[in-house]
Amino acid sequence: VEKILNNEFNSSLGKEGVQIIDPFAGTGTFITRLLQLNLISSEKLLHKYRYEIHANEIVLLAYYVACINIESVFEDYTKSNQFESFNGMVLTDTFQLYEQEKDLIADLLPDNSERRKRQKASEISVVIGNPPYSAGQNAANDNDQNIKYEKLDSKIEKTYCSESKATNQNSLYDSYIRAFRWASDRVKENAVIGFVTNAGWIDSIAHSGFRKCLSDEFDKIYI
């Protein structure tokens, strides 16, 4: 992602104004590595940490572990004796962010709700992470999606499904395909999405519409 920002946009992950998000943070691996790789200069690290790095996680335990991991790495690299909490972490279902204005736990966790609002108001330039595979299904091979996202799924229907040549389009509502749709709609111009995915979408008939939309919506695709 850093190389693509450099080459395509004369930009950088460390540049002020480049807002970064991991929408499926898990235990915070991608954000901790971002801090460890020295891609952000020491002069700009505090500003990025406070205002321009975002992460979402829906599982409570993973959320807390991610916070601890990210805060520990930041403390190690800044060699600061003063603890600085990571306020970019949000306990939320990323796919639900734009389904409704107010999240279900806003009254219980007002600080989390405020961070959620701040994130939604941020203009994201970089989306990185490892999207969930078949989250919300009973089994990995089960095409029955248990969780529906009305707005997100409607956009998938109008794009990936409408361009697809396949009769069975259930796989286009898989969580990692939803992640691409969500990220594609979330970023603006001069942005980069970097996801870890399986390889099924590369040549399957079911994902023909997905591939068509990627080629229409993006200037370059790296696999």
Side-chain angles (χ1 to χ4, degrees), residues 121-183:
S122 301
E123 189 166 313
I124 300 295
S125 304
V126 173
V127 184
I128 56 174
N130 188 1
Y133 177 74
S134 300
Q137 292 185 201
N138 291 322
N141 295 321
D142 183 1
N143 275 326
D144 260 337
Q145 293 287 354
N146 294 327
I147 303 175
K148 301 295 182 184
Y149 303 96
E150 186 176 338
K151 293 180 181 178
L152 181 60
D153 290 350
S154 175
K155 187 65 180 290
I156 289 174
E157 183 181 0
K158 293 174 183 176
T159 54
Y160 302 159
C161 291
S162 67
E163 295 284 356
S164 177
K165 299 174 183 177
T167 304
N168 186 339
Q169 299 179 344
N170 288 341
S171 62
L172 293 175
Y173 296 94
D174 191 290
S175 292
Y176 84 97
I177 300 296
R178 279 174 169 159
F180 273 99
R181 183 68 272 163
W182 182 90

